[in-house]
Structures are given as structure tokens and as C-alpha cells.
Amino acid sequence: MEYQNPQVPEGINVSKQHPLKEFAWMLATVGAITLAVVLLLSLLAGWLVKFVPFSVEQQLASQVIQQLPPSASGPNHLQVETYLQQLADKLVANAPLPEGMTITVHYVDDSTVNAAATLGGHVLMYRGLLEKLPNENALAMVMAHEIAHVRHRDPMMSLGRGVVVTTALAALSGFSDTQLSGWVVGFSGNLTLLKFSRDQEHAADENGLLAVHATYGHTGGSEQLFEVLAQAHGDREAWATFLATHPLGDERIAALVEQAQRNGWQQSGPLTPLPEFVRQL
Amino acid sequence: MENLIGFVTLLILGYVFGRLAERRHFRSIIKREHQYAGTLTFSAKTPPADMAVANARLVSGNVVVSVDYFKQVLAGLRALLGGRVSAYETLVERARREAILRMKEQARQLDAEMIFNVKLETASISKGEQQQVGSVEVFAYGTALVPQKTATASPNLGQPMASRESA
């Protein structure tokens, strides 16, 4: 009996497909599936939020509020907070909120140039932004924008979406062994969430301008808010909009002007100055 | 954004260096396989009855090959979609052939002609650990048979087996 080892042809154990081609194909497939799943779940979560009563949101908020920076100890802190609360009440009186919805304004002694709305109708106003605003009309626009977020239940929707999407993404990426494909999945998921966020911002702008017009009889000063924000955050390149949570300043001003024209609102008028104690911050 | 840049950089590094290393390794494997083609390997347990065996020794070859970042991502995506994990096919093939080559090398040093009862053991290192580079270990072992030498003890070490067979 002849013993031999015949030569095995090269490459029979390995796929012929080019690894880069395989990579591109799989990346596109996983990305597309993730986007579809996240989009669907986000829509579902957003729809379900409508059925959660505002009182539940307020209960959830009590935990969030505890995590806020403590009330500042500055001499006019209370004065500023009272002023902000009165302004909010005035805006709400002119553009009423649904039954049971309340707005609580918190003045945060921090240099961040921002304002935020969170669960349960709590609105945060940062010192950094207050210092930069030229007049009360611009301040009213921020306030009305944040109140509109509360009206639209955006904080609750973000929370709902966040929970649902995070869980879904964790499940999706958990199937694979590497942290990296999980990262790819997470990246496509984030893009979807940002898109929603931009739509929410547009809606809040629109509703905010409505409240400002109802309060002051004209929309003057609102655009100055976006100029302040654009200056503070730097003008971003257009390509970055897709990755940004907030639309660009110019784009937002244009949308507001268009809205005012459509409704035949007066776009300029007497501007209300900020009180002395706010200007001296 | 920094995350993305880091990810893409690692991906490119993994692809370029992983591919270079793989090509170089395959070239080396093919060359040495020709060189050691005379040392025959079989999975059968028993040698031919008519073979005059002077000595039987355990020979083994062990190798650990690591996976590059690109392959890891590729396999991770594959785990979501299913199908042939081609990224790991070449990895395991290299490890298998290298382990057998190292075993043959040892057999050649013993002056053996054939290795019987060849077996391969495969182990994955750092299996299931997150954020760790996975590597595969292949251990090849078998019984090397050294034939009885003829009266004229010729120093034929290092010569191709094939020529000795015909002698």
C-alpha cells in the first residue's frame, strides 16, 4: 500500500469575497435594519407618551429635580427667580397650557449659555444665557420655547424614547461578541434620535413665537435670541446640522420670519427692557 | 466624533497590517509546506505493517494567531446577520497549517519520515471577554516514526524525505 499526502489546492477553505466588499455590505445592512427598528420604536414610544398623564410625569420629575444644582446663594437670586416665574406665568396666561400642566422656573447660577425644559414642567434658566440676552422679548422667546417643549411633552417623549431605544440597541448589539458592532448599531440609532429632536425644536420655536406674539402684540426681539445663541455656540458648518440636536440659527430665524409673515404678525415693536437686577448679573 | 475617528483609524490600521501579516504568513506557509512535503502526516492510528520502525516519538506543534481589529468588527457584524465568518476562516486556516508545519519541523529533526495519529486541538483565547483581542490557538500532535537506518549510517539529516525514500 502506497502512503502519500496529496497536495491540497490553495484557497479551498477560504471565501473568495473581498473583505472590504463584505464589510460595506454588512455595515449597510446592519445600519438600515437598526435605523428601521429604532425609528419604529421611537414612533411607538412617542405615541404611547400621550397616554401617560402629566401627574405621572410630575412624580418622575421629583427625582430629576433633586439632581439639579442647588439654588444659588446670590443676593438677588430669589428676585431673579420670581421675575422669571412671573414672565412664564404671563406667557402661559396668553397661550394657555392643557389642564393640570404647570410651569416651575428654576434659576441656575451657572455660566452655561442655555435654557432647558425637563420632566414635570420644570424649566431651567441659566445665568450664562440671561447675561447675554438684550431684552425681555428675547428672554420671553426662550421661555416660551421651553414651555412649548413642556406642552408637547417632549421631555417625557425623550425619556420614553431613550429607555425604549437604549434597551433595543443593547439587545441588538448584545447578539454580537464585539463591542464594536454594538458601537456601529449605537451610532445609527443616535442619528435617528437627533432627527426627532430637530423636529421637536422646530415645533417648540413655532409655538414659542405664538406665545410671544400673544403677549407682546409683535414678534420683535425673538430673532435676537438666535443671534445670541449662534454667537455663544459658534456658527457651525451646514454639514454639521445633520449631527446636531438643534437646527442652525439662520435656519430658525428664517422659519420664524416665515411664520410671522404667514400669520400677518407685526415683526417689530417696542422692546421691553430687562429689569435692572437682571442686567446687573 | 472623536469616537468615530478612533474607530475608523483602528479599522484602517487593522485592515492594512492584518492583511500584510496574513499575506506574509501565507507565503511563508506555502514555501515551508513544499520544503516539508516529504514528512507525511496521517490521522490513522497504526503505521503500515511492513514498516521497520526504529523509534516512535511524540511530536507536537503549537501556535497562537491573533485577530486584527478589522476582522473582529467584520466577525461582529457577521454575528448579527449570520453566514460564513470568512474573516476567521483564513485565521483558523493559518493557525492549523502553521501548527502542522511546526510539528513536521520537530519530526524532521528526529529524522522521522511519517507522523501517524495526527490530531489537532483548537482553543480560543480570551473567549467572551469584551474589549479584548481574540486569538486562536491550534495545537497539532502525533506519533513520529523514525525508520530503521541501513548499515551505512548516512548523515542525511535535512535532506528532503522524498529523495531518501527513493534511495
Side-chain angles (χ1 to χ4, degrees):
Chain A
M1 181 180 167
E2 184 79 17
Y3 276 83
Q4 58 176 348
N5 278 166
Q7 197 177 349
V8 181
E10 200 60 45
I12 54 163
N13 294 321
V14 180
S15 297
K16 296 279 182 292
Q17 199 177 25
H18 195 280
L20 281 182
K21 197 176 152 194
E22 190 187 357
F23 180 71
W25 183 83
M26 287 202 294
L27 204 65
T29 311
V30 172
I33 292 173
T34 311
L35 280 176
V37 168
V38 169
L39 210 70
L40 200 77
L41 287 175
S42 301
L43 284 174
L44 192 72
W47 176 74
L48 282 174
V49 160
K50 285 183 206 152
F51 300 98
V52 180
F54 191 72
S55 55
V56 172
E57 197 181 315
Q58 278 171 321
Q59 278 167 16
L60 284 171
S62 60
Q63 289 165 14
V64 178
I65 291 304
Q66 281 170 10
Q67 288 167 18
L68 289 179
S71 287
S73 51
N76 57 0
H77 180 87
L78 254 175
Q79 207 178 4
V80 175
E81 201 163 72
T82 312
Y83 164 68
L84 291 173
Q85 182 67 51
Q86 279 165 357
L87 181 63
D89 292 343
K90 197 159 79 176
L91 287 164
V92 171
N94 288 307
L97 287 171
E99 190 71 22
M101 224 179 241
T102 54
I103 300 293
T104 316
V105 184
H106 301 260
Y107 167 52
V108 184
D109 192 10
D110 187 287
S111 60
T112 313
V113 184
N114 208 353
T118 183
L119 294 172
H122 293 275
V123 172
L124 314 181
M125 197 55 80
Y126 288 83
R127 176 170 47 78
L129 182 59
L130 270 182
E131 280 169 350
K132 290 205 158 56
L133 290 173
N135 50 53
E136 194 186 272
N137 300 64
L139 173 60
M141 184 62 206
V142 193
M143 193 71 89
H145 173 95
E146 300 307 337
I147 293 172
H149 274 311
V150 174
R151 179 200 305 273
H152 298 151
R153 311 290 303 275
D154 289 342
M156 190 63 197
M157 224 175 259
S158 303
L159 179 76
R161 271 194 196 125
V163 170
V164 169
V165 171
T166 311
T167 315
L169 291 183
L172 256 179
S173 54
F175 285 128
S176 91
D177 234 6
T178 59
Q179 190 225 11
L180 303 143
S181 62
W183 198 82
V184 170
V185 167
F187 186 70
S188 7
N190 276 337
L191 285 181
T192 328
L193 287 181
L194 293 179
K195 173 75 187 88
F196 272 105
S197 171
R198 280 207 303 283
D199 286 348
Q200 288 173 338
E201 293 305 329
H202 273 304
D205 276 354
E206 209 171 307
N207 206 273
L209 194 70
L210 189 112
V212 168
H213 178 260
T215 307
Y216 295 95
H218 64 89
T219 61
S222 303
E223 72 286 350
Q224 286 173 324
L225 162 68
F226 299 105
E227 282 156 15
V228 167
L229 288 177
Q231 257 176 12
H233 299 292
D235 287 310
R236 282 171 301 200
E237 297 290 331
W239 64 266
T241 9
F242 188 60
L243 293 167
T245 50
H246 282 58
L248 290 171
D250 290 348
E251 197 188 308
R252 290 173 78 178
I253 293 175
L256 294 185
V257 168
E258 197 266 330
Q259 188 194 350
Q261 281 170 351
R262 198 177 52 220
N263 291 298
W265 292 341
Q266 206 176 333
Q267 287 179 53
S268 62
L271 298 177
T272 314
L274 285 167
E276 195 58 32
F277 56 84
V278 173
R279 270 189 293 172
Q280 278 172 358
L281 283 175
Chain B
M1 209 59 193
E2 291 80 20
N3 268 352
L4 183 65
I5 293 167
F7 176 72
V8 172
T9 310
L10 284 174
L11 211 61
I12 294 171
L13 279 179
Y15 179 73
V16 171
F17 287 99
R19 238 175 130 74
L20 281 176
E22 186 169 287
R23 283 207 188 144
R24 201 169 49 228
H25 194 196
F26 265 124
R27 271 203 300 273
S28 152
I29 286 174
I30 291 167
K31 191 178 140 212
R32 282 180 297 146
E33 272 178 353
H34 278 291
Q35 204 178 327
Y36 292 115
T39 307
L40 303 180
T41 55
F42 305 101
S43 60
K45 280 187 179 174
T46 45
D50 59 344
M51 189 175 177
V53 176
N55 203 355
R57 291 274 290 276
L58 175 75
V59 284
S60 64
N62 191 38
V63 67
V64 178
V65 186
S66 171
V67 63
D68 62 64
Y69 201 79
F70 179 77
K71 278 195 194 315
Q72 223 178 350
V73 177
L74 209 59
L77 287 173
R78 189 47 91 188
L80 288 173
L81 299 175
R84 281 177 75 166
V85 189
S86 58
Y88 286 167
E89 282 174 350
T90 49
L91 186 83
V92 178
E93 162 139 352
R94 274 159 64 198
R96 212 165 44 222
R97 287 165 77 170
E98 180 67 39
I100 290 174
L101 273 173
R102 289 182 185 182
M103 178 184 72
K104 282 186 174 185
E105 222 164 289
Q106 213 184 334
R108 179 68 65 90
Q109 275 166 12
L110 294 172
D111 224 6
E113 275 182 5
M114 294 180 180
I115 310 170
F116 274 82
N117 202 12
V118 171
K119 285 176 180 165
L120 293 170
E121 298 284 348
T122 311
S124 77
I125 294 177
S126 71
K127 183 183 178 183
E129 293 271 340
Q130 291 277 331
Q131 283 187 298
Q132 271 220 357
V133 177
S135 356
V136 65
E137 181 197 24
V138 174
F139 179 60
Y141 61 102
T143 310
L145 300 180
V146 183
Q148 268 177 359
K149 292 204 175 79
T150 45
T152 53
S154 55
N156 50 8
L157 206 79
Q159 275 179 25
M161 281 298 170
S163 64
R164 270 198 293 145
E165 270 175 327
S166 60

